[in-house]
Amino acid sequence: SNQPFVTAGDVFLHQREVPGAPGEYELLVSRLYDNNHGAYSMQYEQLSLMSNRQTVRLKLCATEAEAFCHLNALSENTIVLPHPYVTSAYTNIAVSSEWAVHWAVNPENAVFASVLDFCSTRRVGLTITVASSYSKPRVWSLKTVRASSVNPSLREADPRADELGLFSYMVVPDWVAFDVPVFDESMCDRKANFKIVDLEYINARNVLVTTLFTTMRNNRLDGTVCEGCDYEYKRYFLHPNCHDCVAPDEGDGLLFSCWRHERLGMFEELEVPPEVYGEFCPALRRMPLLGSLFAETALISMQSLQLVLDAGT
């Protein structure tokens, strides 16, 4: 398909069949740019590792619940194509930051329609539930600029190269857990996250992730909440550039995007006070202090003139 599966600002992510490899696809990044004549056109470029010959492959997992498939994508230099983009109407929830593009992949709650129907109607019918079709909620981050950190040779030589990789993801916490085939009234009133509703760029260190937090009794299959029912929004701060954090339920290693709950506040920039640790020596300063040079020269001239006048009087 030529339709983008991610649209964020002026950046679009497409799939393209690999030349000479039928059935295999790679990632294509498109950008909308102004040609200085007031008209816009599409500029295509291959998303490369170190050179244009090494592109990022796309893949589909055998089942949505297969956590190892997503985890292995980080080490295989592949992007997992969202299943809803292929099988049904896909809702684009994405945002671009300074160096990357971020998009959310919501699991299909319709997989557990029987459980949601039980909580809303208190009736149970004959149902077939394919639990393997239910994935974890993830927010992917992909650097859309070229960087030497994604060169495979550098990744092998640097033991910390995984944190310098091209992409990563976070798993949204406190997500709803469906108990199948057990139908119990007590589970219907447990509050949990049901849907990622928005991604918003705040600054170079924070992307706001907003989720719908409600109960199975109040949630509806179309992603809304019943009229007059209780719900709230939960918020998390995702760092767009740091992906050297852990996710014990997902896998081992410092491979995952860093995030924090809203109660902990946003990620702050770490600044070193110059009065504590000193300033750059002149050789390391980017620009000479020309303004200070002229000001000091003028001050010396004025002081010298004052000394001459004082000596004459």
Side-chain angles (χ1 to χ4, degrees), residues 124-307:
V124 180
L126 178 62
T127 60
I128 298 176
T129 301
V130 184
S132 61
S133 297
Y134 195 78
S135 68
K136 293 181 180 179
R138 294 177 174 89
V139 178
W140 289 80
S141 298
L142 169 68
K143 293 180 181 177
T144 51
V145 296
R146 293 184 176 91
S148 59
S149 59
V150 297
N151 187 319
S153 62
L154 295 180
R155 293 177 67 86
E156 295 174 0
D158 187 355
R160 286 172 52 85
D162 285 330
E163 70 183 71
L164 305 173
L166 186 64
F167 49 86
S168 64
Y169 63 83
M170 68 165 284
V171 178
V172 177
D174 302 325
W175 202 260
V176 59
F178 292 98
D179 299 323
V180 177
V182 178
F183 293 88
D184 185 1
E185 279 282 342
S186 63
M187 70 180 182
C188 295
D189 295 315
R190 289 189 216 132
K191 283 195 170 184
N193 285 319
F194 276 81
K195 181 182 179 181
I196 305 171
V197 296
D198 190 37
L199 298 178
E200 182 180 354
Y201 175 77
I202 298 180
N203 56 38
R205 296 168 299 281
N206 293 276
V207 169
L208 183 64
V209 181
T210 305
T211 61
L212 176 65
F213 192 77
T214 185
T215 65
M216 293 187 193
R217 195 181 305 279
N218 298 338
N219 186 69
R220 296 295 178 261
L221 286 178
D222 60 358
T224 61
V225 177
C226 54
E227 185 176 357
C229 296
D230 180 51
Y231 71 94
E232 61 181 304
Y233 291 111
K234 293 288 185 180
R235 296 173 178 84
Y236 309 90
F237 294 106
L238 167 69
H239 199 299
N241 303 317
C242 290
H243 40 93
D244 56 349
C245 290
V246 297
D249 295 336
E250 189 74 1
D252 299 327
L254 305 176
L255 303 170
F256 305 96
S257 300
C258 299
W259 62 271
R260 57 172 55 176
H261 196 277
E262 62 178 334
R263 65 175 176 270
L264 299 178
M266 296 191 298
F267 288 96
E268 300 293 339
E269 185 176 6
L270 298 178
E271 295 183 352
V272 179
E275 63 272 12
V276 177
Y277 294 100
E279 298 181 356
F280 284 129
C281 64
L284 293 179
R285 291 175 181 167
R286 294 183 178 180
M287 292 290 293
L289 303 178
L290 299 179
S292 298
L293 173 63
F294 294 134
E296 291 293 338
T297 302
L299 182 60
I300 292 174
S301 300
M302 294 298 295
Q303 291 291 341
S304 301
L305 180 59
Q306 184 178 0
L307 289 176

Side-chain angles (χ1 to χ4, degrees), residues 99-124:
W99 304 108
V101 167
H102 317 271
W103 70 94
V105 179
N106 278 304
E108 292 279 358
N109 289 334
V111 171
F112 294 98
S114 58
V115 181
L116 296 175
D117 288 342
F118 165 76
C119 289
S120 60
T121 64
R122 294 179 173 84
R123 293 194 300 267
V124 180

